[in-house]
Structures are given as C-alpha cells and as structure tokens.
Amino acid sequence: MRRRGRRYGRHGGRQLTVLRLPDGSIFFVLALMFAMLLAGRSLAGLQMEHALAPAMFGVSIVIDAGHGGWDPGMVGSSSEEKEINLAVAKALAEYCRAAGAAVSLTREGDTALADSKREDMEARVTLCTAAEADIFISLHCNSYPADSSQHGAQVFYRQGNTAGETLAGILQNALQEELANTDRSALPHSASYLLEQLDIAAVICEMGFLSHAEEEALLVSSAYQWQLAWTLFCGLVDYLAQAGAA
C-alpha cells in the first residue's frame, strides 16, 4: 500500500513516502522497490535502474552526527543541533544498511568522542580511517541569528577533492529537487578539519537553519528528519551508481 508523504518548502516539494527500514529487513527493501516501480518515476534524480542495482552493497559509509555530549552545536529557540544530527544520522544509517552498505556511526547516543573539540575531531577521523570508509558524510545544522531569513540545506566539500565535490553536487541536487526549500549550491569549505584530513568522498551537510523559525520547526519534526535521511540516501545511491558506471 502506498502512503503519501508530506510536502515541504515554500514551493511545495514532491510528495515522497517516508519509510522506516529496520536493520536487515529485506521485506522492507522489496516493498520500497515495489513502491518505486508503482510510482514510475525517479527520486532525487535517481533513475530506476540505479535504485534497483546493488550500487551500495558492500560500500563502507561513515555517517557522522556532528557534536554531542558536552557540545550541543547550534542552539535554536527550542532545539539543540546535536539531537537533530543524531536523529537524521540514525535514519540514514537504517536506509543504507537495508541497501547492503557497511555503515559506521561516529556516535549512537548523546556523547562526545573526547573531552576537547580537537580530540573529538581527531577521534572522528580515526574512526573513519579504521572503517576503511568509501564515503564520509557529516550531518549538521546551521544558524545565523543576525539574519533569521537565511534558510536552506547546503553541502560542502574540500577544494581539490574531486570525489567529494561530485558527491556534494549530487546530494545538493537531491535536496533541491525533493525538499524544494533550498536554492543553495554545493560549495568548498574553507576551514573544516574533518574534510582536510580525509581523501575519500567526504562532505558536510548543513541540513538547515535553526535560526529560521519555520525551518527549525521542520528540523525537529521526526517526519522531516526521515525525509532528509531518505533524500540523502537517494543521493548516495545515485552517486555510487554514477561512480560504478564511470
């Protein structure tokens, strides 16, 4: 049975089904494929043959929920960034694991990886290296109280990292097409320790602005968090399908 998703964004994003996939459940994967066949269209620029191909099988993906523990990240009127980051990271991990990826989360609870920011960042890089990751995606929320009209998700990569730039562009396109509430472009990040240390396809995704009242309300919504995870999952599969075809 097909379920209708919610529309998000000022321009009314396309309706997508929000599916929660338990780890290792092939039945949910088959149901997802069947629903996509019924829909007869692409998701986030993802062609049907890409979605049904085993593009993600065996791929090592590290999903980094930014901040945690003593470090709340950005703080909104009624939210803390660290909680949103973790919720989306867990949802994205479920989608990727159900598609056959080997997924590592840098944290699975409200904890920091070390007692100082520098050591915490180093621990995330160490985890990524130990996992022999093919892809690294760090999830964050933005904030700019000086201009509360600022909104929209945006993906960043390290200048000179071709794989990271390609992945960032595909994820940004997915966010634009499926959420329809951002007109931002993928950009190089000028000062990210994480991205500087990683030579794989590594990106930072700022999922929206907690200083924007409407966007904060979306970001704390469980339904929107799963929608974000689904959109990023589609972008990851599209990236892997394109890389495999190259």
Side-chain angles (χ1 to χ4, degrees), residues 63 77 90:
I63 302 172
S77 64
K90 285 183 172 181

PDB file of all heavy atoms in Angstrom, residues 63 77 90:
ATOM      1  N   ILE A  63      28.798   7.717   8.797  1.00  0.00           N
ATOM      2  CA  ILE A  63      27.835   8.809   8.989  1.00  0.00           C
ATOM      3  C   ILE A  63      28.154   9.474  10.319  1.00  0.00           C
ATOM      4  O   ILE A  63      28.088   8.847  11.377  1.00  0.00           O
ATOM      5  CB  ILE A  63      26.388   8.280   8.979  1.00  0.00           C
ATOM      6  CG1 ILE A  63      26.109   7.545   7.658  1.00  0.00           C
ATOM      7  CG2 ILE A  63      25.406   9.439   9.166  1.00  0.00           C
ATOM      8  CD1 ILE A  63      24.760   6.831   7.640  1.00  0.00           C
ATOM      9  N   SER A  77      15.529  28.060  19.161  1.00  0.00           N
ATOM     10  CA  SER A  77      14.605  28.533  20.191  1.00  0.00           C
ATOM     11  C   SER A  77      14.107  27.401  21.075  1.00  0.00           C
ATOM     12  O   SER A  77      13.784  27.603  22.245  1.00  0.00           O
ATOM     13  CB  SER A  77      13.417  29.239  19.540  1.00  0.00           C
ATOM     14  OG  SER A  77      12.667  28.325  18.744  1.00  0.00           O
ATOM     15  N   LYS A  90      20.880   8.379  12.345  1.00  0.00           N
ATOM     16  CA  LYS A  90      20.358   7.034  12.609  1.00  0.00           C
ATOM     17  C   LYS A  90      19.393   6.595  11.507  1.00  0.00           C
ATOM     18  O   LYS A  90      19.403   5.437  11.078  1.00  0.00           O
ATOM     19  CB  LYS A  90      19.664   7.000  13.970  1.00  0.00           C
ATOM     20  CG  LYS A  90      20.621   6.999  15.149  1.00  0.00           C
ATOM     21  CD  LYS A  90      19.853   6.881  16.462  1.00  0.00           C
ATOM     22  CE  LYS A  90      20.788   6.677  17.639  1.00  0.00           C
ATOM     23  NZ  LYS A  90      20.048   6.534  18.917  1.00  0.00           N
TER      24      LYS A  90
END
